[in-house]
Amino acid sequence: MPVRALIVDDEKLAREELRYLLEQVGGIDVAGEAAGGEEAVEMAARLAPDMIFLDIQMPVLDGFGVVSRLVDSGDVPLIVFTTAYDQYAIKAFEVNAVDYLLKPVEMDRLAEAVERAKAALPSRGEYIEKLRKLAEGIHVGRKFLPRIVVKKKGGMGLVDTGRVAMLEKRGPEVIAHTDDGDFITNYSDLDELEVQLDPAVFLRLGSVGIVNVGKIGEIVPWSGGNYVMTLDDSRSTEIRLTRTQAQIIKNKAEGR
């Protein structure tokens, strides 16, 4: 029996492309398409799909917001996230979905995701529980940390998140680059921090770290098509970026 799926993406061409690829893969009955998060929640309740191909970055209600709504309703299909971000940018969420697909979606990866979804259907409850944990993390993230605990001479101290230019994973520790120096935080994992920071201010750049967009001094071209980002911190820290990372920052700064 074919798996019933809902495609959710705010870009019409992306929906059409994914539908076409699913037709080539086979075994999937596309029950509907939604152009936004609110519509996705409504269609999921009405169509009861087995799985949803869910775009993460959408206006008004993004993919994670859709997950929260579905969890609150108690009727949660299997989720395959689709995103233009690199794999590190969604590391905190990939374990909570059946799979994730990077845009542009490749046929082989899509076929693999479909097979994983089919295999997961009998143990659907396990994935629903993981999505509940993801939704809880999202709710925590909406509070946003106003300050971060750091280690200073003589003990612990607090630094306003607005003064943090970047949070960098260094060995077993997370370092906060600030306008007053670099400090070891009381965190050991970037994923834990990411969901607690305001996404309008902070941006995850894969293994580089989490960057405060307002604390970027400049980004200039470098050799081999790469770029160098200079932070507005105490040491004017320079970070090497790929072309894709530089474009993600540009889009963020322009409010895309």
Side-chain angles (χ1 to χ4, degrees):
M1 180 180 296
V3 175
R4 286 169 50 81
L6 176 65
I7 296 174
V8 182
D9 199 303
D10 60 321
E11 296 181 1
K12 186 173 184 293
L13 288 177
R15 297 195 304 273
E16 292 176 347
E17 176 67 11
L18 185 53
R19 177 185 279 270
Y20 170 77
L21 292 175
L22 285 170
E23 290 174 353
Q24 308 309 304
V25 170
I28 294 289
D29 175 19
V30 178
E33 299 178 11
E38 296 286 356
E39 185 181 14
V41 173
E42 183 275 325
M43 292 185 72
R46 177 164 50 85
L47 300 175
D50 298 309
M51 64 183 299
I52 298 180
F53 290 92
L54 181 60
D55 186 29
I56 292 179
Q57 189 178 27
M58 296 184 293
V60 185
L61 185 66
D62 64 13
F64 299 133
V66 171
V67 169
S68 291
R69 292 277 193 90
L70 293 175
V71 168
D72 290 342
S73 72
D75 187 12
V76 188
L78 299 178
I79 302 293
V80 173
F81 287 126
T82 62
T83 178
Y85 294 139
D86 65 30
Q87 60 182 343
Y88 299 104
I90 59 171
K91 182 180 178 183
F93 309 102
E94 63 180 308
V95 296
N96 299 295
V98 173
D99 208 339
Y100 67 95
L101 299 169
L102 302 181
K103 297 180 180 179
V105 176
E106 298 179 353
M107 180 75 77
D108 289 347
R109 279 291 294 120
L110 178 59
E112 182 181 337
V114 168
E115 288 305 311
R116 290 188 65 179
K118 289 180 179 179
L121 281 173
S123 57
R124 181 173 168 180
E126 174 188 341
Y127 287 94
I128 291 175
E129 183 57 32
K130 289 183 177 182
L131 285 169
R132 290 187 193 283
K133 293 180 180 179
L134 169 58
E136 290 170 2
I138 292 168
H139 289 314
V140 169
R142 293 297 186 250
K143 296 177 182 178
F144 306 138
L145 284 176
R147 291 171 294 278
I148 293 176
V149 178
V150 299
K151 298 177 182 178
K152 293 187 174 182
K153 291 182 179 179
M156 308 298 287
L158 291 172
V159 174
D160 290 342
T161 52
R163 296 178 57 196
V164 176
M166 184 176 75
L167 292 154
E168 176 192 7
K169 176 70 173 175
R170 191 182 297 170
E173 301 167 332
V174 173
I175 308 298
H177 295 261
T178 78
D179 51 17
D180 193 36
D182 296 350
F183 302 99
I184 298 173
T185 72
N186 67 330
Y187 289 87
S188 60
D189 193 283
L190 288 176
D191 296 341
E192 182 184 4
L193 262 172
E194 183 178 12
V195 295
Q196 299 185 66
L197 296 170
D198 187 349
V201 177
F202 288 91
L203 178 65
R204 179 74 176 264
L205 287 176
S207 59
V208 172
I210 303 173
V211 177
N212 183 338
V213 177
K215 285 286 189 178
I216 296 175
E218 64 176 359
I219 298 177
V220 298
W222 195 249
S223 62
N226 295 321
Y227 290 78
V228 170
M229 171 179 66
T230 303
L231 298 176
D232 185 16
D233 63 356
S234 63
R235 298 191 297 109
S236 297
T237 302
E238 293 185 347
I239 305 294
R240 190 75 56 85
L241 301 175
T242 65
R243 182 187 299 274
T244 299
Q245 289 170 333
Q247 185 62 49
I248 289 174
I249 293 175
K250 181 177 182 293
N251 291 345
K252 182 77 169 182
E254 294 176 352
R256 297 184 188 179

